[in-house]
Amino acid sequence: MKLSIEKSGAGKFARLAASGLDSLMCASINLLQSRHRLHARSRDEMEDYVAVCEKLTAENFYAVPNNVETAPPVDDRPGAAITWPSPINTNFPANNTARADLFPCTRGWRAPTVLMLHALMSASHVGYRRYAARFNELGWNACFVHLPYHYSRVPRGHWNGELAITADLIRNAEGLRQGVIELRQLMATLRERGCEEFGVLGTSYGGWIGALLAMVERDFRFVALMAPIVNVEHAIWESPAARFMRRELRRANIDSSLVARHFHLSSPMHNQPLCDPARVLFVAGEFDFIARPEDVEEVHGKWCGSELLRVPQGHFGYRMLRETIARLKKNGL
């Protein structure tokens, strides 16, 4: 009895600590979002955008455009970076250059390669570099990808990732599209060097992009999605991280029915992977109220054959990454 009480107390403390951290981060996100307001034509622009997108499939939407410059040849030096013009041109020049940091293993680029996709407003790339070294030890190459509006792609005067998710839903959707297409370009370049298999290690926003990538690519040994944004409807209309966004959308008369017309392109919950679902590992934080565990569990059920791992943490934390790597090693990567 004493042991069960102690475990219960520890569980309550972990939940409270996770909720406190998540609440603090949500407040920070809302504060940054308050810098970005919609204008008088936002509703009309959204109407026009979804009217065009309704005619597209995911393969159309995320296709690499013809006659665009591809990702350059990869470098064999550990820690080297490659950059190339993004196929999606935005109003922010800094965001129009794609970048990936490369960490090849001793086997060279014919070895399988893991694509490391960071979270929204990711605090540091140091941890990812450390895990890249661990993948190298396991015979994998690693690529740390700078997702749209993050790291080298942050426009002057903005915070890391600030522009990736705001009330401007068109920019949000185009950022997701940009991220997926650039990853497809990178994969094509790696295939030219002999790489035939890939892995995805994505967290939160990166997990969202990783799930969308899995809808249009199939050559994956694993797709590990940690606290991914899979329920886009909840992320916009209920998540505590989007309180200011909701206020702006309602002020602009942009309602949920209009937004839902884009879900066939942007919501993993409304799609199926092109890759084998058995290669997909969903990881849910038991105390997460941003990427809620029930939402992750629901998409796990829809992607029949996928695996679900539950970790006692909130949306923000480091335990999930450690346990995900351990599960991947147990599964033989």
Side-chain angles (χ1 to χ4, degrees):
M1 180 65 69
K2 181 180 179 182
L3 179 61
S4 64
I5 291 174
E6 288 177 350
K7 285 185 176 180
S8 175
K12 288 180 180 178
F13 176 79
R15 182 181 294 274
L16 285 172
S19 296
L21 178 58
D22 282 4
S23 296
L24 179 63
M25 294 302 296
C26 285
S28 300
I29 291 170
N30 278 288
L31 181 62
L32 285 177
Q33 286 184 358
S34 69
R35 290 166 27 118
H36 305 284
R37 298 178 180 273
L38 298 178
H39 53 77
R41 282 193 44 78
S42 292
R43 165 78 193 201
D44 293 337
E45 290 175 357
M46 188 67 181
E47 285 271 14
D48 293 342
Y49 182 73
V50 297
V52 172
C53 289
E54 278 182 316
K55 303 171 186 176
L56 303 176
T57 65
E59 181 56 46
N60 298 145
F61 190 65
Y62 297 113
V64 178
N66 294 325
N67 303 318
V68 299
E69 187 173 337
T70 60
V74 292
D75 198 313
D76 292 325
R77 294 171 299 145
I82 58 171
T83 61
W84 68 98
S86 174
I88 305 296
N89 194 48
T90 71
N91 293 328
F92 301 92
N95 185 53
N96 295 337
T97 299
R99 171 170 165 161
D101 298 337
L102 309 176
F103 302 91
C105 69
T106 55
R107 295 170 57 193
W109 289 107
R110 291 185 177 276
T113 300
V114 59
L115 307 172
M116 309 179 80
L117 312 181
H118 57 76
L120 180 71
M121 298 173 62
S122 174
S124 172
H125 56 74
V126 174
Y128 288 100
R129 288 174 176 267
R130 186 162 54 246
Y131 280 101
R134 293 186 62 180
F135 273 102
N136 289 164
E137 293 170 359
L138 296 170
W140 281 70
N141 302 312
C143 295
F144 177 74
V145 181
H146 296 209
L147 297 177
Y149 302 105
H150 288 81
Y151 290 103
S152 64
R153 308 176 66 169
V154 180
R156 182 174 298 178
H158 295 85
W159 292 88
N160 188 38
E162 177 183 347
L163 293 171
I165 298 295
T166 69
D168 187 342
L169 300 184
I170 297 175
R171 185 168 64 213
N172 297 355
E174 286 297 289
L176 294 170
R177 180 171 173 243
Q178 187 176 33
V180 172
I181 293 175
E182 291 166 0
L183 285 164
R184 301 189 78 181
Q185 289 180 296
L186 178 60
M187 291 173 70
T189 290
L190 291 168
R191 287 187 182 106
E192 291 176 357
R193 288 293 302 269
C195 181
E196 297 179 349
E197 291 184 301
F198 299 87
V200 169
L201 189 70
T203 305
S204 187
Y205 179 70
W208 187 0
I209 290 178
L212 299 175
L213 181 66
M215 289 161 35
V216 293
E217 292 282 353
R218 65 171 75 250
D219 297 333
F220 292 116
R221 284 262 292 273
F222 67 85
V223 179
L225 307 174
M226 297 172 285
I229 305 302
V230 292
N231 186 340
V232 180
E233 186 171 21
H234 171 267
I236 295 173
W237 302 109
E238 299 178 49
S239 171
R243 288 193 180 98
F244 180 83
M245 179 192 298
R246 287 193 289 277
R247 191 176 78 181
E248 279 296 286
L249 292 174
R250 287 165 180 151
R251 186 179 63 81
N253 198 29
I254 297 174
D255 56 37
S256 59
S257 61
L258 176 59
V259 178
R261 289 162 59 187
H262 197 272
F263 284 172
H264 69 295
L265 300 175
S266 57
S267 171
M269 192 80 78
H270 292 75
N271 286 277
Q272 287 291 315
L274 183 63
C275 71
D276 183 356
R279 304 291 179 92
V280 180
L281 171 64
F282 288 105
V283 189
E286 292 180 356
F287 315 135
D288 190 340
F289 53 70
I290 298 172
R292 301 178 303 181
E294 56 264 36
D295 293 329
V296 179
E297 188 167 354
E298 182 178 349
V299 75
H300 153 66
K302 291 182 176 181
W303 289 25
C304 296
S306 62
E307 185 179 359
L308 176 66
L309 172 65
R310 298 177 72 107
V311 178
Q313 74 162 61
H315 192 72
F316 301 94
Y318 298 101
R319 179 171 181 171
M320 185 175 288
L321 181 56
R322 293 195 302 270
E323 295 202 15
T324 299
I325 299 294
R327 178 60 62 91
L328 291 174
K329 289 178 66 176
K330 181 179 178 181
N331 292 347
L333 294 182

